[in-house]
Amino acid sequence: MKKIVLLIGLIGISPIFAQQSENITTENSWFKAGLNVGLPIGDTADFASLTVGVDVRGQHLVTPSFGIGIASGYNHFFGKDGASDIGLIPLAGFVRYYAQPKGFFAGVDFGYAFLTNANDAKGGLYLSPQIGYHNEKWNFYGYYQHTFADNDLDIQVIGLGTTYNIMF
């Protein structure tokens, strides 16, 4: 089932990445780097108490209100009650909708997350919707992160993050 959802998602967003667009400029493309912190929920709260991570992204605005890009980073889950810490390394495409040049935005990351130190689990389908505020230099957002990992490991987090935009 996870593979079917991943395939449908990739087919669904592939036309977005195939669209013709203007040249990359400082007005329509940037690198984003930031930090996030989250609270594990669901079954994840049974073995982890907190997650802290770094976020890196490359984004291109297809239109003034619609951006696409790639995202990665690292999220560290601090184990609790004797459980080992684990790590999550997402590799995802993302889409964002910006209602105005400054203000509200909404988006979603969709891809695969690799797990570190998670016993038999190697990774799984990664989904992370976000909603927040942005201006020319900063993004502040709330997020829900869900990784449907192998071996019935279901990783869920709610949190807050911020990224700084570096124009290129």
Side-chain angles (χ1 to χ4, degrees):
M1 181 66 176
K2 293 177 202 171
K3 292 179 182 177
I4 292 171
V5 171
L6 179 60
L7 179 63
I8 291 169
L10 291 175
I11 291 170
I13 66 170
S14 63
I16 293 169
F17 292 98
Q19 299 295 318
Q20 292 285 340
S21 64
E22 59 191 68
N23 292 331
I24 294 175
T25 70
T26 58
E27 297 296 317
N28 65 14
S29 301
W30 49 84
F31 173 77
K32 300 171 177 273
L35 302 172
N36 63 66
V37 62
L39 294 174
I41 59 173
D43 293 341
T44 312
D46 294 341
F47 64 85
S49 59
L50 178 73
T51 181
V52 175
V54 295
D55 188 18
V56 293
R57 298 169 178 273
Q59 178 176 298
H60 176 70
L61 287 177
V62 178
T63 72
S65 297
F66 185 73
I68 60 173
I70 57 172
S72 192
Y74 177 78
N75 294 308
H76 188 87
F77 290 78
F78 294 93
K80 71 177 188 182
D81 299 330
S84 298
D85 294 0
I86 65 169
L88 186 141
I89 303 167
L91 181 56
F94 72 88
V95 295
R96 285 231 176 122
Y97 170 73
Y98 299 97
Q100 298 177 7
K102 291 182 183 177
F104 166 81
F105 78 85
V108 64
D109 298 1
F110 185 80
Y112 188 85
F114 300 92
L115 297 173
T116 63
N117 200 35
N119 296 328
D120 294 330
K122 303 283 187 249
L125 180 68
Y126 172 83
L127 180 67
S128 182
Q130 304 169 0
I131 188 167
Y133 169 84
H134 76 100
N135 61 33
E136 186 176 308
K137 294 291 184 184
W138 292 94
N139 300 279
F140 303 97
Y141 59 91
Y143 68 91
Y144 168 74
Q145 184 182 88
H146 196 152
T147 302
F148 303 89
D150 47 3
N151 295 331
D152 294 323
L153 181 59
D154 193 34
I155 300 173
Q156 298 178 66
V157 176
I158 57 169
L160 298 172
T162 185
T163 56
Y164 182 75
N165 299 328
I166 302 167
M167 309 301 183
F168 64 85

